[in-house]
Amino acid sequence: MVGPSRPQFVLFGSSIVQLSFGNGGWGSSLSEIYSRRADVILRGYYGWNSRRAVQDASVQPSLVIVYFGGNDSMGPHSSGLGPHVPLPEYVENMKKIALHLKSLSKTLRIIFLSCPPVDEVRLLVHSAYFSELVRTNELCKKYSDACITLCKELDIKVVDLYSALQTISDWETACFTDGIHLSAEGSKIVVKEILKVLREATEWSPSLHWKSMPVEFAEDSPYDLVAADGKRTLNPSTWNFHWESQWD
């Protein structure tokens, strides 16, 4: 017995997703926020692009958060190898992912994350380790804009990561660990944007915002810790944890 069935939130994407449970990542923050409410499941694959994503197996959770674009948006390599996916194919792949998820269930909710910017200065340092590494904010923005346009056409919720991460003045150094992957500060922005989408999606029933979801085992129990007066127990589901105020 591991508790009752609960909603599942799947995070599906490339390294921005795979690394989201470390370094104060946005995936681990969501898992903490939704504790006793939903299971946050990690399906992140370092180096993946949208071409590989369309081959993934079916899932039927309550919410799927999809991120692809960073690897796709890299410039093409002269050999024809590498993660680059031409923009038209990227859009078509993302459309296939969206339509596939929509076909699984009428109640499955979807959020896409658009391609974030990068710190081009730090990428120049790392480029010596790769052959013909081309990753620019000009390319990132093209793929981000294409993702946002597609989501509007398909009526899918989308977080504009390209714009959101640039809302703080020192975003190049504050939001990334290596110029590409998110730091704790960058992840905090991602979490806030996701929660904003969930809070404002009033047409989704039931709501998937954490404050609107039922808490497991919310009833009082004689097995909980005993209060100072020695006459009652303290239900943990009613405690205010230190992290809650920052996600209001």
Side-chain angles (χ1 to χ4, degrees), residues 31-228:
S31 184
E32 182 179 44
I33 292 167
Y34 281 90
S35 61
R36 298 179 67 152
R37 292 178 173 87
D39 289 327
V40 179
I41 300 172
L42 186 64
R43 291 293 183 271
Y45 305 94
Y46 212 107
W48 271 38
N49 55 23
S50 63
R51 189 179 290 161
R52 296 184 72 174
V54 297
Q55 304 170 9
D56 190 65
S58 300
V59 291
Q60 295 194 43
S62 299
L63 171 68
V64 179
I65 299 176
V66 179
Y67 164 73
F68 288 103
N71 293 313
D72 299 71
S73 68
M74 292 176 64
H77 194 276
S78 59
S79 67
L81 302 173
H84 169 72
V85 174
L87 186 59
E89 183 188 346
Y90 166 74
V91 173
E92 186 60 29
N93 289 339
M94 296 300 279
K95 184 176 182 180
K96 288 178 181 177
I97 294 170
L99 295 178
H100 170 69
L101 292 174
K102 278 175 168 278
S103 72
L104 296 178
S105 168
K106 292 182 178 179
T107 59
L108 188 151
R109 310 306 183 189
I110 307 165
I111 299 175
F112 274 21
L113 308 180
S114 79
C115 183
V118 295
D119 178 1
E120 294 181 351
V121 174
R122 270 192 283 179
L123 286 187
L124 287 176
V125 176
H126 297 307
S127 64
Y129 299 100
F130 302 94
S131 173
E132 300 179 32
L133 176 63
V134 179
R135 197 159 188 172
T136 67
N137 283 321
E138 181 182 1
L139 288 171
C140 291
K141 189 174 190 310
K142 288 181 179 179
Y143 281 69
S144 175
D145 289 346
C147 178
I148 293 169
T149 298
L150 175 67
C151 289
K152 290 179 179 178
E153 293 174 356
L154 298 179
D155 193 26
I156 287 177
K157 306 293 185 185
V158 62
V159 172
D160 180 359
L161 284 188
Y162 188 85
S163 298
L165 291 176
Q166 296 186 67
T167 55
I168 58 177
S169 58
D170 57 343
W171 64 269
E172 294 98 332
T173 54
C175 290
F176 305 104
T177 60
D178 56 5
I180 298 175
H181 301 108
L182 296 173
S183 64
E185 188 64 29
S187 286
K188 191 179 297 183
I189 294 173
V190 176
V191 173
K192 288 184 176 179
E193 291 297 319
I194 291 172
L195 292 179
K196 179 182 178 183
V197 170
L198 293 172
R199 182 175 62 250
E200 295 178 352
T202 55
E203 75 278 16
W204 286 0
S205 181
S207 171
L208 296 180
H209 188 263
W210 70 279
K211 283 194 170 183
S212 300
M213 296 180 69
V215 178
E216 288 181 350
F217 303 108
E219 67 278 1
D220 292 335
S221 169
Y223 305 115
D224 291 331
L225 294 174
V226 180

Side-chain angles (χ1 to χ4, degrees), residues 12-30:
F12 179 44
S14 56
S15 56
I16 293 291
V17 175
Q18 180 177 328
L19 301 177
S20 68
F21 270 64
N23 195 44
W26 59 277
S28 60
S29 293
L30 285 176

